[in-house]
Amino acid sequence: MRSLVRGAAWAAGLVLASSAGLFGFSMIEASRIAAQYPATGSFMPISGGRLHYTERRPDGPARGTVILLHGATGNQADVMLPLGDRLAALGFRVIAPDRPGHGWSDRPDGESDASPARQATLIRQGLETLGIHHAIVLGHSWSGALAVNFALDQADFTDGLVLVAPVTHPWPGGVAWYYGPAASPSIGPIFNHVLTMPVGLTMLDAGVRSVFEPQAPPPDFANRTGVYLVLRPSEFTANAQDVFHLEDFVEQQAPRMGRITAPTAIVTGDSDSVVLTRLHSYGSERDIPGATLKVLAGVGHSPHWADPASVVAAVVSVADRADAKRRTIQE
């Protein structure tokens, strides 16, 4: 019996020592990552905090404003780098915020801010401090649901809607297993401070490849976009909460999509292995009145990198339709 007790005590001590070591490693790496990928833009105030954003000013005559909303496991750079300069060259003012809890943005209400509706409210709040009271809203992946919410609940703000490989409808199969424990209020703090960093560092390259398949990731993508920031415990928690709660949200929101009046364009790939193109993109075309759909052959989950010209063309078409709609109302 004594040997059993001693063995159990030794095992418990080993687990505690290992956990403490992994915790220390995670904190050191989180600090290193934060220093290596600092905020590169500006900040706009919101209730209880601030949001980080980057901006491109228009070249030539102004055509309006485009808001770029990034997906899960990322930050503003993922949408700004391939699209920002291209849109600015056509006369658009381009704003790409880090969503609440991502990149360098605050998440003032914790798990409550996982709701796309709450994020839409906070992002609009920040944008209005910059004097932006209406814009075309573009959402990639997770932010398909966020952009749709802008068009529904912030309709007076949303001149037009562009959905890029969006998530918009309930889907079969749930989410990856680790989002549950990572989002859990009880298990999450331990999971995200002990396991996320060491495991995430080994899996990040494979994760990036899966998002771009069948295309290869752009050269030095992880460093250029600072995607390593998501491995910090606070951001991984926010990301897990966003993903874990998304299906319940879109289950409630999807039946309302027929009420969208903003001109809408959808751009997606037919080889997306992350979200189901026929469910989400075709479903959005079906449910949103007047929506157009462009399906890119052989393209995966990142059309904005694989074919940015098609995404920019979608923005221009939506802007043209919004201008025509505005003129009709004025007449």
Side-chain angles (χ1 to χ4, degrees):
M1 175 65 83
R2 286 181 184 173
S3 62
L4 226 98
V5 171
R6 281 197 298 268
W10 180 87
L14 182 61
V15 169
L16 286 173
S18 299
S19 297
L22 289 172
F23 178 88
F25 172 80
S26 296
M27 295 301 97
I28 291 169
E29 282 296 297
S31 296
R32 181 191 64 79
I33 288 169
Q36 187 171 351
Y37 304 103
T40 57
S42 304
F43 291 89
M44 48 189 175
I46 57 171
S47 296
R50 60 184 189 169
L51 298 181
H52 173 252
Y53 70 96
T54 56
E55 178 174 4
R56 299 291 186 272
R57 289 284 180 169
D59 297 335
R63 284 215 60 183
T65 301
V66 181
I67 310 303
L68 305 179
L69 301 172
H70 66 87
T73 319
N75 59 65
Q76 54 75 30
D78 178 55
V79 280
M80 180 58 92
L81 288 181
L83 300 176
D85 289 341
R86 288 177 169 89
L87 290 168
L90 297 175
F92 293 101
R93 181 184 183 186
V94 186
I95 305 287
D98 284 334
R99 294 191 289 103
H102 296 261
W104 290 100
S105 287
D106 293 333
R107 194 172 175 96
D109 290 316
E111 192 167 10
S112 296
D113 292 338
S115 164
R118 173 65 175 159
Q119 292 194 19
T121 297
L122 291 173
I123 291 169
R124 179 177 183 175
Q125 190 181 98
L127 291 170
E128 290 193 333
T129 69
L130 304 180
I132 299 171
H133 302 289
H134 58 91
I136 293 170
V137 178
L138 180 152
H140 171 239
S141 191
W142 188 98
S143 280
L146 172 55
V148 165
N149 189 263
F150 261 101
L152 287 168
D153 293 349
Q154 313 284 343
D156 60 318
F157 180 91
T158 307
D159 290 337
L161 182 64
V162 180
L163 304 176
V164 181
V167 178
T168 51
H169 290 71
W171 64 90
V175 296
W177 70 268
Y178 53 82
Y179 285 120
S184 167
S186 56
I187 302 172
I190 298 171
F191 187 93
N192 296 329
H193 283 82
V194 173
L195 294 177
T196 293
M197 184 66 71
V199 175
L201 287 171
T202 65
M203 296 178 61
L204 190 135
D205 287 345
V208 168
R209 286 195 300 272
S210 72
V211 171
F212 284 93
E213 290 175 347
Q215 285 72 48
D220 205 29
F221 172 83
N223 280 314
R224 290 172 63 199
T225 61
V227 70
Y228 293 99
L229 289 166
V230 77
L231 298 179
R232 297 171 299 168
S234 61
E235 185 170 348
F236 199 86
T237 299
N239 187 62
Q241 292 168 348
D242 287 356
V243 174
F244 186 73
H245 294 297
L246 183 60
E247 187 170 15
D248 287 343
F249 182 86
V250 296
E251 188 171 1
Q252 298 299 315
Q253 178 170 270
R256 301 170 55 210
M257 290 173 65
R259 303 176 193 173
I260 293 174
T261 59
T264 301
I266 307 152
V267 182
T268 195
D270 68 357
S271 300
D272 191 334
S273 62
V274 178
V275 303
L276 299 171
T277 295
R278 289 203 165 270
L279 176 64
H280 299 284
S281 293
Y282 282 83
S284 295
E285 180 196 29
R286 178 194 66 228
D287 293 344
I288 300 174
T292 64
L293 172 63
K294 184 175 182 64
V295 181
L296 304 174
V299 169
H301 190 54
S302 294
H304 53 305
W305 285 93
D307 191 353
S310 289
V311 177
V312 169
V315 173
V316 172
S317 72
V318 163
D320 289 343
R321 291 160 62 194
D323 289 343
K325 179 181 176 182
R326 194 176 299 111
R327 286 194 298 269
T328 299
I329 291 172
Q330 289 171 348
E331 291 170 359

